[in-house]
């Protein structure tokens, strides 16, 4: 290090200046820039270099004196600009005589002042004067540095091109500038040109080129630069090592970054910050927090605003409430709470892990606010569902940018205010506001919320007309919108046209979601397999969440476990959305134990996590366990939402004893304690509980006293209770309400017909069926499926499309005979067709549930449980048949229908006959 610092070049080098993006652009030819061995292009001013004009120099000295006398500025070196330029103010040009020494010092100092006061005219005048002095690399570097700081990168490059012998300082300044202006390719070309010309890079050159590699994610190039730094002895220098850690962290090579950090002989606070930031970007939140604890134990360093801001972001993402509050307390203790970036990060943390009171109080206390602060507050209000307050905050903003507009637009979508989001977009277009990719994806999502076919076509046309369809995120959002607005064919065509280019992970994920959303889970899982086999799909948070959701819907337990392993391997399991999806997947695959384990290993939880665990227990009909989780949720201080109460009220259906008094009290506490207005969903849950326990009159009275008109779901809940208890008197009244509200829904007629059949009123049951046929209504086709060796096998009633249907029907006939001998009696009331008795048996015996269960029995090993899924409720006859099937086969059958799980074993079912 000592030998390096003694060279004239590095003595002159200081930290390269940051510069703001310039409106100017400079065209570089596709060929690499010429090396210094070739004559560089001569600017017009280069002719002056060969003809120094002493008269002009003296004249300028006189002007400079007048300027200094008339200006309050001083020629003394400003202390805060001591290292602003790569030059030594004591340096004297070898081409000047003693009389001109003061003149050169003046030039250096005036260049500093031109930057300090953003005086472009002065900088250009000084440049003109320097040209008259004759070519001097040191002065040329000073002009380059000044122009870069003033945002005149094109001018800086022209100065560079006019130099016959640029040195490492010249190259490094421009490489750094290009790297920071998103012109990474030109930075890399310039670095290669420097190497070809025989100039050896120094530590600042390495930092500059590594910055270009980081911004362009050029890992391979970065590895080569790392090797060169090791060869030249610069890899152990703090600045270079920090840049290398940043490169490996940004490119997902956390192991390399950690190893490099551990091997550093010296570190500064930037080293710690870069490593912590890399861990956060790599989703290793726990390791980031652990490194912060190690930093605190190191007496040589103290966390700064960058450390705390990064850690607060990590705590917000993984919902680490306790650690986040500890970091907030630490910020207060070291006096950084009022730092602008820290305050903004604290607002972001409490938005996700606190209360609105915390956020509002912090905002009011902030002595200084910027546009980020105001935007964070808009996001906070939207996160807490206070849309009007968010709009009010937006209107009060002293200045707005595209980020502010996008925060409001995204907030509208988050709160299902699609029309308001669309109106905001129209306003942005009319006012000429900047439309970014986030803006366009936001308005596309708004169309998806509105579910309006024509509006979706208009927005789609706007995006095509103005040429915005060049971004994968926008294409993916368009596919998502089409799949939500009844345009699945358009979505499929778009996807097929985009797939010809090799596919894109975001677009593929969007298509998988579209298939799953439209009741096509088989297509979703097939597309996932295809993308995985082709290696075109990179799993991110959204992809993991989507695929796990599909696995849960299908009951694809084995594939779901594999996806979970991939999430663990890549670190995405720590993402809240992925963790919640893992809980849901295991719950829907009859593996509540692994769902609980996944919950317990999550670094943080939100209300969705708790809701998912409660919902899992309800699927397994474990009401007492669901209430125990609710108690733990209250103790943890998690604020319940509307979905929580729908689930908890429903849990009282599955408790081991009648706890209706507790259920009623909980329902009343929604408004009185939790300030939540009960909706039709909540009333439907309470009616379902009352109906389950046989209190049908009370349930009907509750509906009649509702403060608003009940939705059809409330009446359906009561009708379901009437079915369970075969109460046709109330059921008849309820059916009239439902048919009056939804006269074209065949499921209502089926339910009423089954209600009459269950109570032995066959004539009434047949009349309902006849009425259904007269109206031209047909029962929605139900299907059941079973998964064998990662293959999905779907069956419909009397379905013979399966390649092994002959064996399946033969096996089922044998099974039916055995069950009949064991006591099974077919229930003909579930045959809706008006046919002969024998035909009724044929219809009944070949229901989809029986076919799927038979195929599972035929294709699995003895002792292995059979897992079957059905898209609607299991009929009573199939339920009875499956109980007998477990007796004659000595096998366990796990069956999931719309009500939850039925575990059939030894002639018994876990639902106890109530579903």
């Amino acid at each position: 290090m000592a030998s390096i610092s003694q060279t004239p070049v590095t003595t002159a080098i200081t930290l390269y200046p940051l510069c703001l993006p310039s409106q100017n652009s400079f065209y570089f030819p596709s060929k690499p820039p010429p090396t210094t061995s070739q004559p560089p292009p001569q600017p017009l001013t280069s002719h002056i270099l060969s003809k120094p004009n002493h008269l002009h120099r003296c004249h300028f000295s006189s002007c400079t004196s007048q300027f200094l006398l008339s200006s309050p500025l001083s020629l003394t070196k400003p202390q805060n600009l001591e290292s602003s330029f790569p030059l030594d103010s004591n340096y004297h040009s070898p081409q000047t005589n003693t009389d001109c020494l003061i003149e050169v010092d003046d030039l250096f100092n005036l260049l500093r002042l031109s930057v300090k006061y953003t005086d472009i005219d002065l900088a250009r005048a000084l440049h003109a004067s320097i040209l008259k002095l004759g070519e001097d690399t040191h002065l040329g570097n000073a002009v380059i540095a000044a122009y870069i700081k003033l945002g005149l990168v094109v001018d800086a490059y022209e100065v560079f091109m006019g130099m016959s012998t640029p040195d490492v300082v010249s190259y490094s300044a421009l490489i750094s500038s290009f790297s920071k202006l998103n012109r990474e390719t030109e930075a890399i070309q310039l670095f290669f040109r420097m190497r070809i010309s025989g100039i050896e890079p120094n530590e600042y050159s390495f930092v500059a080129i590594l910055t270009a590699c980081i911004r362009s994610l050029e890992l391979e190039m970065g590895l080569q630069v790392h090797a060169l730094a090791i060869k030249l002895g610069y890899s152990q220098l703090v600045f270079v090592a920090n840049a290398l850690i940043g490169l490996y962290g940004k490119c997902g090579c956390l192991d390399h970054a950690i190893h490099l950090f551990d091997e550093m002989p010296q570190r500064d606070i930037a080293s710690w910050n870069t490593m912590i930031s890399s861990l956060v970007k790599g989703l290793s939140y726990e390791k980031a927090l652990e490194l912060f604890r190690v930093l605190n134990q190191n007496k040589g360093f103290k966390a700064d605003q960058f450390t705390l801001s990064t850690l607060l972001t990590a705590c917000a993402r993984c919902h680490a409430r306790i650690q986040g509050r500890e970091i907030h307390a630490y910020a207060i203790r070291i006096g950084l709470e009022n730092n602008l970036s820290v305050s903004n990060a604290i607002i972001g943390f409490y938005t996700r892990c606190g209360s609105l009171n915390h956020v509002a109080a912090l905002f009011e206390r902030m002595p200084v606010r910027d546009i980020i602060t105001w935007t964070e507050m808009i996001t906070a209000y939207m996160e807490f569902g206070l849309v009007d307050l968010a709009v009010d905050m937006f209107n009060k903003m002293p200045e707005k940018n595209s980020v502010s507009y996008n925060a409001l637009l995204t907030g509208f979508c988050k709160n299902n205010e699609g029309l308001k989001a669309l109106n905001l977009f129209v306003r942005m277009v009319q006012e000429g506001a900047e439309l970014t990719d986030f803006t366009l994806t936001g308005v596309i999502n708004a169309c998806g919320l509105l579910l309006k076919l024509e509006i979706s076509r208009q927005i789609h046309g706007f995006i095509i007309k103005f040429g915005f369809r060049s971004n994968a995120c926008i294409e993916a959002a368009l596919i998502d919108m089409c799949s939500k607005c009844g345009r699945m064919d358009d979505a499929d065509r778009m996807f097929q046209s985009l797939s010809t280019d090799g596919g894109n992970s975001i677009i593929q994920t969007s298509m998988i979601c579209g298939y799953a959303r439209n009741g096509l889970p088989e297509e979703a899982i097939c597309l996932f397999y295809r993308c995985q086999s082709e290696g075109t799909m990179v799993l991110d948070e959204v992809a993991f969440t989507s695929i796990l959701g599909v696995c849960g819907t299908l009951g694809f337990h084995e594939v779901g476990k594999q996806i979970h392993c991939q999430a663990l391997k890549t670190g995405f399991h720590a993402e809240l959305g992925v963790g919640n999806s893992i809980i849901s997947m295991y719950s829907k695959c009859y593996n509540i134990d692994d769902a609980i384990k996944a919950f317990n290993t999550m670094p943080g939880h939100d209300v969705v996590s708790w809701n998912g665990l409660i919902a899992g227990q309800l699927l397994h009909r474990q009401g007492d366990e669901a209430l125990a989780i609710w108690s733990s949720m209250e103790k943890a201080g998690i604020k319940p939402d509307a979905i929580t109460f729908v689930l908890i009220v429903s849990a009282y259906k599955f408790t081991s004893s009648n706890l209706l008094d507790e259920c009623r009290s909980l329902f009343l506490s929604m408004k009185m304690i939790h300030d939540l207005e009960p909706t039709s969903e909540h009333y439907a849950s309470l009616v379902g509980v009352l109906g389950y326990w046989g209190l049908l009159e009370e349930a009907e009275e509750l509906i009649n006293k509702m403060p608003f008109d009940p939705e059809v779901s409330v009446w359906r809940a009561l009708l379901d209770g009437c079915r369970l208890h075969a109460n046709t008197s109330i059921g008849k009244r309820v059916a009239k309400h439902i048919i009056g509200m939804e006269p074209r829904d065949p499921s209502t007629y089926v339910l009423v017909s089954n209600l009459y059949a269950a109570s032995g009123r066959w004539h009434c049951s047949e009349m309902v069926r006849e009425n259904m046929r007269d109206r031209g209504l047909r029962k929605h086709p139900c299907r059941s499926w079973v998964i064998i060796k990662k293959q999905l096998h779907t069956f419909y009633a009397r379905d013979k499309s399966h390649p092994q249907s002959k064996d399946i029907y033969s096996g089922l006939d044998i099974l039916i005979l055995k069950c009949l001998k064991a006591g099974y009696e077919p229930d003909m009331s579930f045959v809706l067709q008006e046919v002969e008795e024998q035909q009724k048996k044929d219809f009944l015996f070949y229901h989809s549930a029986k076919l799927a269960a038979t195929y599972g029995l035929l294709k699995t090993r003895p002792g292995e449980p059979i897992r079957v899924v059905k898209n609607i409720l299991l009929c009573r006859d199939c339920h009875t048949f499956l109980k007998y099937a477990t007796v004659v086969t000595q096998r366990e059958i796990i069956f999931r229908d719309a009500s939850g799980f039925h575990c059939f074993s030894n002639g018994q079912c876990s639902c106890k006959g109530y579903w």
Side-chain angles (χ1 to χ4, degrees):
M1 185 72 183
S3 61
I4 295 172
S5 62
Q6 290 169 2
T7 62
V9 171
T10 50
T11 304
I13 294 178
T14 59
L15 284 175
Y16 295 124
L18 292 169
C19 59
L20 296 173
S22 171
Q23 296 294 326
N24 300 322
S25 60
F26 193 83
Y27 172 76
F28 276 81
S30 57
K31 295 180 180 179
T35 63
T36 51
S37 60
Q38 299 170 332
Q42 293 295 318
L44 293 175
T45 52
S46 63
H47 298 289
I48 306 174
L49 291 175
S50 58
K51 298 177 182 179
N53 190 326
H54 294 279
L55 294 177
H56 280 280
R57 287 166 60 194
C58 296
H59 176 70
F60 182 79
S61 297
S62 175
C63 292
T64 303
S65 301
Q66 292 176 12
F67 168 78
L68 295 172
L69 290 172
S70 61
S71 171
L73 305 177
S74 171
L75 268 180
T76 57
K77 295 179 289 183
Q79 293 182 0
N80 62 335
L81 295 175
E82 187 65 34
S83 60
S84 295
F85 292 101
L87 54 86
D88 183 351
S89 59
N90 294 321
Y91 168 83
H92 304 300
S93 172
Q95 298 180 16
T96 58
N97 54 36
T98 308
D99 295 335
C100 296
L101 292 181
I102 297 176
E103 180 184 322
V104 174
D105 286 343
D106 292 348
L107 293 174
F108 285 127
N109 287 313
L110 286 169
L111 279 170
R112 289 192 180 93
L113 292 173
S114 71
V115 172
K116 181 178 180 180
Y117 295 98
T118 322
D119 193 333
I120 294 175
D121 291 336
L122 176 59
R124 292 192 190 281
L126 292 168
H127 182 195
S129 179
I130 289 171
L131 289 173
K132 295 177 176 66
L133 294 176
E135 181 177 5
D136 184 279
T137 302
H138 207 59
L139 283 171
N141 290 342
V143 175
I144 289 173
Y147 278 150
I148 289 174
K149 276 205 164 186
L150 291 168
L152 305 174
V153 182
V154 173
D155 298 73
Y157 186 76
E158 287 179 352
V159 174
F160 172 82
M161 294 299 292
M163 297 170 68
S164 59
T165 55
D167 61 9
V168 68
V169 180
S170 321
Y171 278 102
S172 299
L174 276 173
I175 294 169
S176 177
S177 177
F178 286 151
S179 299
K180 293 167 185 173
L181 291 175
N182 299 320
R183 295 165 66 172
E184 297 86 1
T185 303
E186 293 150 300
I188 292 170
Q189 287 178 349
L190 207 56
F191 182 77
F192 278 121
R193 174 176 169 175
M194 179 179 74
R195 295 291 295 141
I196 292 170
S197 65
I199 297 175
E200 185 175 292
N202 62 14
E203 62 263 43
Y204 300 103
S205 313
F206 280 112
V207 172
I209 188 60
L210 285 168
T211 301
C213 294
I214 291 169
R215 292 186 174 230
S216 59
L217 297 178
E218 279 283 354
L219 178 60
E220 188 175 346
M221 175 69 184
L223 289 168
Q224 295 177 23
V225 173
H226 189 181
L228 181 62
I230 293 172
K231 180 179 178 181
L232 298 179
Y234 288 101
S235 63
Q236 296 295 311
L237 296 182
V238 175
F239 292 157
V240 178
N242 290 349
L244 287 166
I245 292 171
L247 169 73
Y248 291 132
K250 189 73 179 287
C251 294
C253 303
L254 274 182
D255 291 341
H256 291 342
I258 293 169
H259 177 75
L260 196 60
F261 179 80
D262 291 338
E263 295 296 319
M264 287 180 70
Q266 291 182 331
R267 299 174 185 144
D268 59 6
I269 190 60
S271 312
W272 293 87
N273 287 344
T274 306
M275 191 65 245
I276 290 172
S277 177
S278 297
L279 290 169
V280 172
K281 288 174 184 172
L283 311 180
S284 298
Y285 303 127
E286 292 180 5
K287 289 182 179 179
L289 293 168
E290 178 61 33
L291 192 60
F292 172 63
R293 286 188 279 271
V294 175
L295 171 62
N296 274 343
Q297 295 168 3
N298 194 320
K299 295 181 180 179
F301 299 102
K302 185 173 74 170
D304 60 12
Q305 64 268 30
F306 302 109
T307 322
L308 301 184
S309 300
T310 305
L311 289 167
L312 285 164
T313 301
C315 293
R317 288 180 183 173
C318 67
H319 280 250
R321 289 175 172 80
I322 295 174
Q323 293 91 329
R325 291 191 179 107
E326 289 174 350
I327 292 168
H328 183 188
Y330 180 83
I332 295 172
R333 189 164 67 249
I334 65 174
L336 282 177
E337 186 195 26
N338 290 329
N339 178 273
L340 193 56
S341 64
V342 174
S343 295
N344 291 340
I346 294 172
I347 288 176
F349 166 72
Y350 283 117
T351 296
R352 299 187 70 175
C353 302
S355 68
L356 185 60
N357 292 335
H358 284 118
V359 176
L362 181 65
F363 179 76
E364 293 299 327
R365 289 200 308 269
M366 288 179 68
V368 180
R369 300 164 185 158
D370 62 4
I371 198 166
I372 298 174
T373 314
W374 290 89
T375 305
E376 286 282 3
M377 286 303 297
I378 292 170
T379 303
Y381 282 128
M382 287 297 191
E383 191 73 26
F384 288 105
L386 302 173
V387 176
D388 292 338
L389 289 176
V391 173
D392 186 53
M393 182 66 66
F394 178 79
N395 293 332
K396 289 179 179 177
M397 288 183 71
E399 61 174 318
K400 304 176 181 72
N401 60 11
S402 62
V403 179
S404 316
Y405 277 100
N406 291 341
L408 192 63
L409 188 66
T410 304
F412 282 141
C413 293
K414 184 178 180 64
N415 288 276
N416 296 314
E417 297 283 0
L419 191 58
K420 289 183 179 179
L422 193 61
N423 290 334
L424 177 63
F425 176 74
V426 172
R427 174 181 160 189
M428 291 176 69
V429 173
Q430 291 172 343
E431 294 178 357
E434 181 186 3
L435 302 181
T436 66
D437 293 343
F438 291 105
T439 315
L440 298 173
T441 52
V443 73
I444 293 169
N445 291 336
C447 291
L449 291 172
L450 292 172
L451 305 177
K452 299 292 186 182
L453 179 67
E454 194 55 40
I455 293 176
S456 75
R457 284 176 173 158
Q458 290 176 10
I459 292 297
H460 198 163
F462 173 87
I463 289 170
I464 294 173
K465 181 179 179 181
F466 288 92
F468 291 124
R469 281 185 58 191
S470 58
N471 183 291
C473 293
I474 294 174
E475 297 282 9
L478 285 170
I479 289 174
D480 191 65
M481 176 190 71
C482 290
S483 70
K484 289 177 179 177
C485 297
R487 299 171 56 196
M488 197 60 201
D489 290 341
D490 290 341
D492 198 52
R493 277 193 294 271
M494 284 179 60
F495 178 73
Q496 296 303 330
S497 66
L498 294 167
S499 296
T500 57
D501 299 329
N504 180 280
S505 185
I506 301 172
I507 294 169
Q508 291 164 345
T509 301
S510 186
M511 196 64 204
I512 288 171
C513 292
Y515 282 136
R517 185 181 298 114
N518 284 272
L520 301 168
E522 295 97 329
E523 286 81 350
I525 209 73
C526 286
L527 176 58
F528 170 69
Y529 276 143
R530 193 184 87 197
C531 296
Q532 286 285 90
S533 63
E534 293 173 354
T536 58
M537 188 174 191
V538 179
L539 290 174
D540 58 8
E541 181 182 358
V542 177
F544 273 116
T545 303
S546 304
I547 300 301
L548 287 165
V550 171
C551 290
T553 300
L554 294 174
F556 227 137
H557 185 242
E558 189 176 349
V559 173
K561 287 185 76 171
Q562 292 176 0
I563 301 299
H564 184 192
C565 290
Q566 283 186 267
L568 287 167
K569 185 178 179 180
T570 55
F572 278 102
H573 70 289
E575 286 292 315
L576 201 56
V578 177
N580 293 340
S581 297
I582 292 169
I583 294 170
S584 177
M585 181 273 296
Y586 279 126
S587 297
K588 291 178 180 178
C589 293
Y590 200 71
N591 190 348
I592 194 65
D593 291 337
D594 279 352
I596 294 169
K597 286 178 185 176
F599 178 87
N600 291 334
T601 56
M602 288 174 68
H605 307 101
D606 63 358
V607 67
V608 179
S609 315
W610 291 91
N611 288 349
L613 199 59
I614 293 169
Q617 295 290 0
L618 295 188
L619 273 176
H620 291 72
R621 307 180 195 277
Q622 302 294 325
D624 295 319
E625 285 78 359
L627 293 177
I629 294 169
W630 162 243
S631 178
S632 300
M633 181 178 173
E634 286 188 302
K635 290 177 183 176
I638 304 297
K639 184 179 179 181
D641 61 8
I643 297 172
T644 311
F645 282 100
V646 170
L647 296 169
I648 293 302
V649 171
S650 300
Y652 286 93
K653 282 199 295 189
F654 306 118
T655 52
S656 56
S657 59
N658 186 328
L659 300 174
L660 279 174
D661 288 338
E662 282 187 23
C663 183
R664 294 185 188 99
S665 299
L666 177 72
F667 188 84
L668 294 173
S669 73
M670 281 185 63
K671 172 78 174 179
M672 297 172 62
I673 299 176
H674 300 281
D675 196 29
L676 288 171
E677 286 286 351
T679 65
S680 279
E681 286 185 284
H682 299 104
Y683 277 99
S685 295
L686 182 56
V687 167
V689 173
L690 294 171
Y692 183 87
W693 292 101
L695 301 178
L696 299 173
E697 292 82 4
E698 182 182 342
E700 187 177 20
E701 185 182 356
L702 175 67
I703 296 174
N704 291 329
K705 291 182 177 179
M706 282 176 62
F708 50 86
D709 291 334
E711 293 181 5
V712 70
S713 60
V714 184
W715 291 110
R716 284 188 186 281
L718 181 53
L719 185 60
D720 196 48
C722 294
R723 177 186 62 84
L724 285 175
H725 298 283
N727 190 320
T728 56
S729 59
I730 296 177
K732 187 176 179 180
R733 293 196 298 271
V734 174
K736 286 183 179 178
H737 283 289
I738 298 174
I739 292 172
M741 296 171 76
E742 292 186 349
R744 303 295 301 173
D745 186 357
S747 64
T748 304
Y749 293 88
V750 175
L751 193 57
V752 174
S753 175
N754 291 343
L755 170 63
Y756 282 128
S759 62
R761 299 175 67 179
W762 311 109
H763 177 67
C764 294
S765 176
E766 185 57 38
M767 285 179 62
V768 173
R769 296 175 194 172
E770 188 175 343
N771 185 19
M772 180 178 171
R773 286 191 291 269
D774 291 342
R775 290 171 179 263
L777 302 177
R778 296 186 62 188
K779 181 182 176 185
H780 293 305
C782 61
R783 60 191 183 121
S784 303
W785 61 87
V786 62
I787 297 168
I788 306 294
K789 295 180 180 179
K790 293 187 182 181
Q791 291 293 318
L792 193 75
H793 301 269
T794 302
F795 300 89
Y796 294 89
R798 303 182 308 284
D799 182 11
K800 293 187 178 180
S801 62
H802 195 280
Q804 295 177 274
S805 61
K806 194 172 183 179
D807 295 333
I808 295 168
Y809 275 79
S810 297
L812 179 54
D813 288 339
I814 295 170
L815 185 59
I816 289 170
L817 287 174
K818 288 184 177 181
C819 290
L820 287 169
K821 288 180 181 179
Y824 161 60
E825 294 182 5
D827 189 346
M828 300 302 173
S829 64
F830 293 96
V831 180
L832 299 184
Q833 288 79 3
E834 191 175 4
V835 292
E836 297 296 330
E837 191 73 15
Q838 186 56 45
Q839 284 182 287
K840 284 190 175 184
K841 284 187 178 181
D842 290 340
F843 282 131
L844 190 65
F845 287 160
Y846 304 122
H847 277 188
S848 65
K850 296 184 180 76
L851 292 169
T854 301
Y855 186 71
L857 288 166
L858 291 171
K859 301 300 289 185
T860 53
R861 295 188 299 270
E864 186 178 343
I866 313 301
R867 297 172 182 265
V868 184
V869 182
K870 187 172 183 177
N871 63 336
I872 62 171
L873 283 174
L874 184 67
C875 81
R876 190 168 293 279
D877 179 73
C878 287
H879 190 273
T880 304
F881 173 81
L882 291 174
K883 286 198 291 186
Y884 280 99
T886 59
V887 174
V888 299
T889 62
Q890 292 299 301
R891 302 281 294 275
E892 184 182 33
I893 299 175
I894 298 166
F895 200 103
R896 194 188 86 201
D897 69 356
S899 70
F901 282 104
H902 303 261
C903 183
F904 296 97
S905 181
N906 297 321
Q908 301 296 321
C909 179
S910 58
C911 75
K912 300 175 183 177
Y914 291 96
W915 76 97

